[in-house]
Amino acid sequence: MKSKELTEIALALVAKDGGILAMDESIASCNKLFAKLNIPQTEEYRRAYRQLLITTPGLARFINGAILSDETIHQQTEDHIPFTEILSKAEILVGIKVDLGTIDLPGFPGEKITEGLDGLGERMANYYNMGARFAKWRAVITIGENIPSWGCIEANVHLLARYAAICQEYGIVPMVEPEVLMEGDHSIEKCREVTAKTLYALFNELYKQRVDLRGLILKPNMIVPGVDSPVQKDIETVADFTVNCLLESVPAAVPGITFLSGGQSGKLASQHLNAMHSNFGPLLPWKLSFSYGRALQYPAIEIWGGKKENTEAAQQALLHRASNNSAANRGDYSESLE
Ligand code: 5MM
């Protein structure tokens, strides 16, 4: 695959003020979510929910790509149209989550490592043939007493770089997700320190593994205090810390940065993104956008609740969040849009 083609895909993922819909919850995570909302935890309900999301009328106005899980990429609508075909017809790029989840990192209490590298080339070729053009891998970095360790950061970024190299080999754009978790009572300064360390290590490793930075998307966390921190920060401060951390650590060759929401409410995730654009717009060397899961899917999933008759209302809710984040990408979001 020529680097130009990878760059074109990466740029298409962040074009026209659009973003990415992360709908790649593993079966276990999706079931957990369904259980909380009293939705039956079956393959059919998971299929019906994902059908609702991708058939939302007008979604492509705000969404350039959707990340699917292995189960979802193989599914069809109830009238037997493959999900990949629905997305391609809508001109939404098909993405696939290729990591196999996290496990405890041996020897490093409290820290995680992501699995999924074995046989990845073969899986990548299959996904490409099914229409996938980008792929996501999530590494998890936890802040706590004496963690993260260098051992954990280095092991995770090495895997991210190896996966990214394999993606590019198969003509697929890697969406590299090193998530520094919001859980904990740490300060915003600590989040910034750990995120910067992780990103420096990540780009060093991407360089060593000969990954073409012009053909990848970075999916980072925003710089926020831990959810249990007694000192929470206002929107402008989060925007300021986040943009400055990224300016210091992400090379300008990267075409796009699409944030995860990490547990922020839909509204807060839109407000933060908007502040980054309105305060720093002309200074940004890369496109800055969203790749939210929860911050796009709530409240749509609650409205749906597993009931077919709520489909339209749920789709409206999804469209509303997508449209607000697209406005945020122009710095045009305001409270009145809610
Ligand atoms: C949608 O959830 C994704 C998959 O999670 P699991 O493999 O743990 O089930 C997750 O990677 C997601 O894409 C990112 O964390 C972004 O989602 P949020 O909700 O943080 O925006």
Side-chain angles (χ1 to χ4, degrees), residues 1-10 168 173 212 214-215:
M1 164 73 52
K2 301 228 172 56
S3 76
K4 184 169 168 278
E5 288 156 53
L6 288 169
T7 303
E8 278 166 5
I9 298 166
Q168 292 190 337
V173 167
D212 187 343
R214 296 164 300 178

Side-chain angles (χ1 to χ4, degrees), residues 21-30 50 67 69 97 99-102 136-138 140 175 177 179 219 259-264 291-298:
L21 169 61
M23 46 178 283
D24 59 309
E25 299 85 359
S26 58
I27 294 174
S29 307
C30 191
R50 269 58 181 264
I67 317 171
S69 65
K97 184 246 301 288
D99 67 70
L100 299 179
T102 58
K136 196 199 79 177
W137 178 292
R138 174 169 169 259
V140 171
M175 177 174 275
E177 182 180 7
E179 176 174 6
K219 176 166 172 165
F259 291 106
L260 60 94
S261 57
Q264 299 177 46
S291 173
Y292 298 154
R294 286 162 284 181
L296 283 172
Q297 293 185 47
Y298 277 92

Side-chain angles (χ1 to χ4, degrees), residues 246-269:
L246 294 173
L247 284 172
E248 284 165 15
S249 48
V250 183
V254 171
I257 299 179
T258 61
F259 291 106
L260 60 94
S261 57
Q264 299 177 46
S265 70
K267 185 175 157 188
L268 198 57

Side-chain angles (χ1 to χ4, degrees), residues 18-74:
I20 311 295
L21 169 61
M23 46 178 283
D24 59 309
E25 299 85 359
S26 58
I27 294 174
S29 307
C30 191
N31 283 348
K32 216 160 113 193
L33 198 60
F34 279 11
K36 257 205 291 185
L37 301 169
N38 285 322
I39 301 168
Q41 295 109 65
T42 65
E43 180 176 353
E44 175 48 24
Y45 273 86
R46 291 191 298 273
R47 189 206 63 74
Y49 176 56
R50 269 58 181 264
Q51 172 177 327
L52 176 159
L53 296 177
I54 65 167
T55 57
T56 296
L59 191 64
R61 294 208 317 268
F62 314 115
I63 296 295
N64 297 326
I67 317 171
L68 311 180
S69 65
D70 182 69
E71 178 181 71
T72 311
I73 201 171
H74 289 94

Side-chain angles (χ1 to χ4, degrees), residues 114-131:
T114 306
E115 294 192 298
L117 216 52
D118 289 350
L120 185 57
E122 202 180 314
R123 287 200 284 138
M124 210 61 98
N126 288 336
Y127 288 138
Y128 185 92
N129 289 334
M130 295 182 77

